[in-house]
């Protein structure tokens, strides 16, 4: 069974940085696209960023230039480096894997999420 466990969330001041991690197991990590999706309080899910099996990265306009997605296939771990954080980045951040097709086809499995709160 695919398992995704996020970590690294917490409280950070505006302008600060955090790095989220997602430990993956139960599937062949290196052969699947991975994504980060977030859900702000009272809002629907928002796709944040994706990385394909070849290392190509894609990000939403709202985070371009501030967030960087990466993966370490040897460690079965996905990362999201978040810099210049804004209050509107406050959300529960989920990692997700696409087992069938490409990341833009959808996400098949999700983690439980980690809360990021950006506030002074």
């Amino acid at each position: 069974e695919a398992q995704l466990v996020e970590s690294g969330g917490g409280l950070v001041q505006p302008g600060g940085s955090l790095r989220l991690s997602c430990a993956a197991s139960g599937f062949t990590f290196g052969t699947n696209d991975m994504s980060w999706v977030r859900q702000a309080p009272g809002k629907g899910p928002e796709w944040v960023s994706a990385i394909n099996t070849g290392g190509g990265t894609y990000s939403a306009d709202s985070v371009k230039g501030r967030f960087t997605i990466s993966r370490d296939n040897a460690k079965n771990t996905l990362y999201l480096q978040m810099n210049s954080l804004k209050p509107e980045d406050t959300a529960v951040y989920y990692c997700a894997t696409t087992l069938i097709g490409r990341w833009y086809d959808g996400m098949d499995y999700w983690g439980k999420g980690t809360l990021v709160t950006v506030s002074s």
Side-chain angles (χ1 to χ4, degrees), residues 12-27:
V12 63
Q13 293 184 319
S17 299
L18 280 177
R19 189 175 81 156
L20 306 183
S21 298
C22 173
S25 62
F27 65 99

Side-chain angles (χ1 to χ4, degrees), residues 20-112:
L20 306 183
S21 298
C22 173
S25 62
F27 65 99
T28 307
F29 180 80
T31 62
N32 296 100
D33 291 355
M34 299 294 296
S35 299
W36 287 98
V37 181
R38 68 186 182 186
Q39 186 166 15
K43 298 183 179 179
E46 176 192 17
W47 171 78
V48 175
S49 191
I51 184 166
N52 64 26
T53 57
T57 62
Y58 311 86
S59 295
D61 289 342
S62 59
V63 305
K64 281 183 178 177
R66 300 189 298 120
F67 292 9
T68 302
I69 190 171
S70 62
R71 65 193 298 165
D72 186 337
N73 290 345
K75 296 181 178 180
N76 287 353
T77 302
L78 177 74
Y79 302 98
L80 185 68
Q81 178 66 48
M82 305 186 295
N83 299 325
S84 301
L85 283 161
K86 305 174 180 179
E88 51 263 45
D89 294 320
T90 296
V92 176
Y93 284 73
Y94 302 90
C95 68
T97 185
T98 302
L99 299 183
I100 303 173
R102 301 297 310 281
W103 62 269
Y104 46 77
D105 293 324
M107 292 78 186
D108 298 312
Y109 289 94
W110 303 64
K112 297 181 179 66

